[in-house]
């Protein structure tokens, strides 16, 4: 029973897992934002390019 409790309380390596989860969450948010805003941003830059070449 004591070995089981020690295994549960062992937090070694937990921070690496937490950092990995945070990085995955941030990557998911970035991918979602690019998907939602990609066409709008492309349109803005295309319009700016057209205005600058005239």
């Amino acid at each position: 029973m004591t070995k089981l409790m020690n295994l549960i309380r062992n937090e070694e390596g937990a921070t690496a897992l937490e950092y990995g989860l945070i990085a995955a969450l941030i990557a998911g948010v970035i991918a979602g934002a690019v998907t939602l805003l990609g066409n709008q941003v492309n349109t803005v830059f295309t319009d700016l390019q057209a205005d600058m070449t005239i």
Side-chain angles (χ1 to χ4, degrees), residues 5-51:
M5 293 304 288
N6 287 337
L7 182 63
I8 292 172
R9 290 184 190 158
N10 186 2
E11 295 182 6
E12 198 172 301
T15 54
L17 178 64
E18 291 166 357
Y19 285 132
L21 290 172
I22 291 170
L25 179 63
I26 291 171
V29 169
I30 290 171
V34 168
T35 300
L36 291 174
L37 300 176
N39 289 334
Q40 293 174 353
V41 172
N42 187 26
T43 302
V44 169
F45 282 115
T46 302
D47 292 344
L48 284 172
Q49 180 183 6
D51 289 343

